[in-house]
Amino acid sequence: MGSVCSNPESSNDVRISKNLQRESTQKTQKLLLLGAGLAGKSTIFRQVAILYSTGFDTKARENYIPAVTGNVLESIKTLIYEAQKRDQEFSPQGLEYAASIMKIGIDDPLTPSIGEMISFVWKNEKAIAEAYQARSSFSLGDSAAYMLDSVDRICRPGYIPSEDDVIRVRVRTSSIVEMNFKMSNVNFL
């Protein structure tokens, strides 16, 4: 009768390889995001939180209200300033609204009436459109158009930022932020 030849080392290698693979997927990996200011590190962090962690509950999204309203005001004020600096002409109502907007404090709450003024200036003033077209020559947030297009919604009473608002808002971060999440059976810290 024939004899069956088996190689105990090869079956042992397969077993060890499977154990190593299983252990490597169970280990915690650390992910460090580095980059210059305004590179989008915090934005990636928020996207990961939405996609692979618990996301942002209502209370967490409410914490972004001051940042969102601040982004709206900073964007429209920057555009008004740049339009005026370039001696671009406003309509009489646009000029009145622009003057009122420039007096609003960055931390002031946005009311529906303020939202109407911002919306009017953003949507109807040629001077603002021209300033926006020249945005590469001055500092204007990437999400300015998104925020200004959403101003009516943002200024409504009871406004709570959407996940899109949370991702697009510019929040200056100067601290280390940690989050645990799992992606493709790998735990990250």
Side-chain angles (χ1 to χ4, degrees), residues 27-181:
K27 288 184 180 178
T28 299
Q29 302 293 319
K30 290 189 179 185
L31 176 65
L32 178 64
L33 298 175
L34 298 173
L38 300 175
K41 300 173 297 294
S42 296
T43 303
I44 290 172
F45 188 83
R46 291 191 299 266
Q47 289 171 332
V48 167
I50 290 168
L51 294 172
Y52 300 107
S53 189
T54 58
F56 295 93
D57 61 14
T58 301
K59 184 66 180 165
R61 287 184 286 130
E62 283 176 351
N63 291 332
Y64 282 92
I65 292 172
V68 171
T69 57
N71 278 200
V72 168
L73 277 173
E74 184 178 342
S75 296
I76 196 65
K77 285 182 166 192
T78 299
L79 290 168
I80 291 168
Y81 172 79
E82 291 296 327
Q84 290 173 339
K85 186 171 98 174
R86 290 169 167 71
D87 293 324
Q88 294 170 334
E89 291 192 26
F90 286 80
S91 69
Q93 187 168 14
L95 188 60
E96 178 185 328
Y97 285 171
S100 295
I101 291 167
M102 294 304 278
K103 293 176 185 174
I104 299 169
I106 200 76
D107 295 324
D108 290 351
L110 294 185
T111 63
S113 61
I114 292 172
E116 288 174 19
M117 288 189 294
I118 293 170
S119 184
F120 179 88
V121 170
W122 169 244
K123 293 177 182 173
N124 300 307
E125 289 299 316
K126 185 179 176 187
I128 296 299
E130 290 174 3
Y132 183 76
Q133 291 303 315
R135 67 188 177 278
S136 64
S137 64
F138 59 91
S139 179
L140 184 68
D142 291 342
S143 62
Y146 172 84
M147 293 295 178
L148 293 170
D149 286 341
S150 303
V151 73
D152 295 327
R153 177 177 55 84
I154 291 169
C155 291
R156 280 188 209 132
Y159 164 72
I160 296 175
S162 66
E163 284 187 340
D164 278 344
D165 296 343
V166 170
I167 289 172
R168 292 173 183 256
V169 69
R170 167 70 183 118
V171 180
R172 289 176 178 88
T173 50
S174 59
S175 62
I176 296 174
V177 182
E178 292 184 7
M179 172 180 56
N180 296 323
F181 65 96

